[in-house]
Amino acid sequence: MRTTKAQIALAGAALLGAGLLTGCSQQASAAETCEAPYASGALSKNVSVLGDFGSDPVVNVPEGFTYSSAQSYTVQKAANRENAITEPSFVSINYAVFEAGNPEPLMKSQSFTDDRGYELMAVVPDAEQAVLPGGLICAAPGDRVVLTLSPEEAEMLSGGQPGQSGNPDAAYAVVVDVHDVQPIALDGKAKDLPAGFPGVVSNEDGQPGVIATPAEAPTEVRKATRIEGDGDEITAETSAVVNMMQVTWDGWRDEGGSRTRTPLINTFAEQGPVEIGSEAQNQEPVRAALTGAKVGSQVVVIVPDDEYGATIYVVDILSGV
């Protein structure tokens, strides 16, 4: 058995589209009319899963079954569907991958029983995605879902761990517990920033823009919350999952011998959300500045910089593990 924890490294810039923001009643309506991308079938319905959501699953994929197509089956369905995945969302899950005829998982998340999801995935309706995470569209926190996998997808999810049957057409299944669903775009009223901060605006997709200020760049780290979230508080030990944009103090930077106004980092428009770790894992001042903020907040952080005077981070806190 192979146990891993999904990690998303803070790299340069990256993109995952942001979804439209909806109210609770609209979310409930969307959940009621949501159409899952995969139907149930003979294989998914015949996968035996013992144990409730939040417990270690005991799974049997019947021996002799071969893979034909992706299928899904909700073993346990949560009554509350308000946070069902109907828009681009960041989802925390636990999952285990099984091969037909083998009761031992090829891969299993760190724990199913800790009341939290250890794996973080982006689910984007209407985008082309693998069976996991794409098969979680319409799922909600509290759901336990079975998805059937091709041998290639099973090997990818298992970190290259091959099946034991040696059958190139063997059937595989992944059992998924859905823990937390957070929209990729924030929903909240923006507040004015303190004196000395630049202006910050956002378009309808959540992409921020920074309006330079004539004020002198500060000589120490400053932070301010522009949108106040109501989720869990980020502690020093929390591994924060964010979208972020970093720009220079005056908006200009050198690139390849020419001057450009493109951001230094912009995950809103390129790679998508990144996991930037805890304070112990990430010594950058921007990570320390997020401690004490709540999930769902947008925090503006100014960090002094020898080359640019200062750089400005606009950070959307999407989740924390």
Side-chain angles (χ1 to χ4, degrees):
M1 181 181 73
R2 180 182 173 88
T3 301
T4 66
K5 179 181 177 182
Q7 296 288 344
I8 306 173
L10 173 58
L15 176 97
L16 191 60
L20 296 177
L21 303 176
T22 61
C24 291
S25 61
Q26 291 173 305
Q27 288 178 331
S29 176
E32 291 170 1
T33 59
C34 185
E35 294 185 7
Y38 307 114
S40 60
L43 175 56
S44 63
K45 286 184 176 180
N46 277 282
V47 176
S48 171
V49 182
L50 301 180
D52 293 332
F53 175 91
S55 66
D56 281 317
V58 179
V59 178
N60 177 47
V61 182
E63 190 171 4
F65 270 87
T66 57
Y67 177 81
S68 59
S69 63
Q71 301 171 13
S72 68
Y73 182 67
T74 302
V75 179
Q76 185 174 345
K77 190 171 184 176
N80 186 346
R81 312 304 295 175
E82 282 189 3
N83 288 329
I85 303 168
T86 59
E87 60 182 353
S89 301
F90 216 57
V91 184
S92 64
I93 63 173
N94 292 317
Y95 71 86
V97 179
F98 295 85
E99 180 185 16
N102 182 5
E104 293 298 321
L106 298 179
M107 179 275 169
K108 182 181 176 183
S109 294
Q110 181 172 326
S111 175
F112 271 76
T113 61
D114 288 349
D115 196 31
R116 55 159 286 185
Y118 281 93
E119 320 295 342
L120 299 164
M121 293 188 175
V123 182
V124 184
D126 300 324
E128 185 176 339
Q129 293 193 287
V131 174
L132 183 65
L136 297 180
I137 294 169
C138 301
D143 283 0
R144 173 164 280 187
V145 180
V146 171
L147 300 169
T148 61
L149 303 170
S150 68
E152 294 76 17
E153 288 169 321
E155 185 173 348
M156 180 181 66
L157 284 174
S158 302
Q161 186 88 343
Q164 297 180 5
S165 68
N167 181 357
D169 298 317
Y172 294 81
V174 57
V175 178
V176 185
D177 279 4
V178 180
H179 277 265
D180 186 51
V181 176
Q182 296 288 339
I184 289 175
L186 299 188
D187 184 9
K189 184 177 180 180
K191 300 186 296 185
D192 292 335
L193 295 172
F197 274 72
V200 176
V201 295
S202 298
N203 67 15
E204 61 182 9
D205 293 327
Q207 169 68 56
V210 174
I211 303 170
T213 172
E216 292 291 326
T219 56
E220 57 184 28
V221 175
R222 297 189 66 190
K223 67 176 182 178
T225 299
R226 180 171 176 262
I227 297 175
E228 188 74 47
D230 58 3
D232 293 338
E233 183 175 311
I234 299 295
T235 68
E237 292 74 32
T238 304
S239 184
V241 180
V242 305
N243 259 329
M244 68 161 59
M245 183 178 71
Q246 180 193 21
V247 299
T248 65
W249 184 250
D250 65 1
W252 291 94
R253 69 184 182 94
D254 294 324
E255 184 177 40
S258 61
R259 297 272 284 170
T260 176
R261 294 185 70 89
T262 57
L264 298 167
I265 296 173
N266 186 11
T267 72
F268 292 90
E270 295 164 16
Q271 171 186 328
V274 291
E275 183 176 353
I276 62 171
S278 64
E279 285 195 36
Q281 296 166 328
N282 185 343
Q283 304 295 316
E284 294 296 325
V286 64
R287 170 57 191 88
L290 302 184
T291 296
K294 294 183 177 181
V295 171
S297 296
Q298 182 180 89
V299 181
V300 180
V301 185
I302 303 173
V303 179
D305 183 90
D306 292 339
E307 182 176 359
Y308 298 114
T311 63
I312 303 155
Y313 293 85
V314 182
V315 185
D316 283 6
I317 305 175
L318 304 177
S319 185
V321 296

